[in-house]
Amino acid sequence: MIDRIVAGVLCAALTPVMAAVAVLIRVLDGSPVLFRQQRAGKGGLPFVLYKFRTMRPGGAFGEGDELRMTGLGRALRRASLDELPSLWNVVRGDMRLVGPRPLPTDYNSRYSPEQARRLEVKPGLTGLVQVRGRNALTWDEKFRLDSWYVEHRSWRLDLRLLVETPLTVTRARGISHSGHATMPVFKGDSRGEPDKADVTLTSGVGQLVEEGAQGG
């Protein structure tokens, strides 16, 4: 309920910004203004995610993004303004302010049992992945962080992630994965052993997760 109230207040306060973005997209990139796609919510159940459109229509999730991304779309993504319509998903109860990012429902059958734990909670606008690397991380790294969040989630951890999110947005880091406009398609669990990058990532978030767990 708190998430819905906060999201509703933000929707009202940011209406002028969203109206301006909508006009820019309509004038520079044409219709449609909004991007709608079925994503997996809690329990893997589908819901329609709303975002501002940053790419030319056509193509599957993560495929050919670098060719379809518009100039305005890149600017919106750098500022995370494309995410603003997703506040409506929070108001509707599809998402929360903090949680694993919602991914396509096609991915549900590709998760390992550990990776599938991300579906135990509602997806969020921001989360541990967003403040610890975003799309600069590999899929394995993202899913490990999602699992840790599910295991240790608490209101204190959520609050800290919400506080850190604006700083992450202003730095505009991790918007895209190396060699991709966004992220490559997740084709299934690699079932590999943690590499050096995973170890570094783990040590970097250990204190944050521990503090969040203590808050629970």
Side-chain angles (χ1 to χ4, degrees), residues 1-60:
M1 184 59 67
I2 292 176
D3 281 12
R4 290 188 177 192
I5 293 174
V6 172
V9 171
L10 288 175
C11 277
L14 295 172
T15 294
V17 176
M18 290 192 280
V21 172
V23 170
L24 281 175
I25 296 174
R26 182 66 178 85
V27 171
L28 298 179
D29 294 339
S31 297
V33 170
L34 290 179
F35 167 81
R36 301 176 178 85
Q37 188 180 61
Q38 193 174 82
R39 298 289 178 92
K42 183 177 181 180
L45 297 177
F47 72 95
V48 178
L49 176 73
Y50 297 94
K51 297 176 64 174
F52 281 124
R53 182 171 64 86
T54 59
M55 301 182 192
R56 298 176 184 85

